[in-house]
Amino acid sequence: MSEQSAKPYLVRAICEWCADNGLTPYIAVKVDARTRVPQEYVKNGEIVLNVSATATRRLTIDNDWIQFNARFNGVSQEVSVPLAAVSGVFAKETGYGFAFAMPRDPATLLTEATESLLPAPEPGDAGTSAGKDERPKRPSHLQVIK
């Protein structure tokens, strides 16, 4: 028998702890093709959602999905998030919660693996800068919520 992920249990626990202490639970979500969220609120492929009882209707958090209805700019919309896409759960007021390791994009993994197989550029080649890392810095996926 394979071991189940603790992630859905941790998400439910933090949400319940927030409710018991008068705090607002939020989830950070890495948006993918299976994630149904209002796209106009997605930034850099991520969205942060308030999952409190006052912000949602028919909230369910099972072992595979988080589903609820919520109003976005006055319009009721159905939200459906696979648990695998949740990158964190936390209390808005205190920031207490959990961040989860997210699986990396297979295309990025392939690029990184093949870069080491490419021949190193000659020291006098045009367009290269000796000794400098030319890979762009990736912005953090974390957001400060106040």
Side-chain angles (χ1 to χ4, degrees):
M1 179 198 265
S2 66
E3 186 175 306
Q4 283 189 325
S5 170
K7 189 181 209 179
Y9 300 94
L10 294 170
V11 170
R12 286 191 291 267
I14 291 295
C15 288
E16 185 177 338
W17 175 82
C18 285
D20 290 349
N21 289 283
L23 302 173
T24 311
Y26 275 74
I27 58 171
V29 177
K30 180 86 170 150
V31 177
D32 62 17
R34 298 185 321 147
T35 308
R36 289 186 21 207
V37 297
Q39 293 299 311
E40 59 270 23
Y41 298 99
V42 175
K43 292 184 181 166
N44 298 324
E46 298 177 326
I47 189 168
V48 177
L49 298 166
N50 178 347
V51 290
S52 67
T54 58
T56 63
R57 288 194 156 193
R58 297 193 323 247
L59 172 66
T60 60
I61 304 173
D62 63 27
N63 288 347
D64 297 312
W65 292 89
I66 298 175
Q67 297 176 316
F68 59 90
N69 286 340
R71 292 193 169 274
F72 294 88
N73 205 19
V75 178
S76 181
Q77 296 189 35
E78 187 175 316
V79 176
S80 185
V81 175
L83 252 299
V86 176
S87 60
V89 58
F90 56 93
K92 174 187 175 188
E93 295 80 0
T94 64
Y96 180 82
F98 291 104
F100 302 108
M102 296 300 293
R104 299 193 52 203
D105 177 33
T108 304
L109 291 173
L110 180 62
T111 301
E112 290 174 358
T114 57
E115 279 179 352
S116 64
L117 301 176
L118 297 175
E122 296 293 323
D125 282 351
T128 61
S129 53
K132 290 193 177 183
D133 187 11
E134 294 182 3
R135 288 181 279 165
K137 298 288 182 191
R138 296 174 72 186
S140 172
H141 69 280
L142 300 177
Q143 295 179 350
V144 176
I145 307 272
K146 295 184 181 187

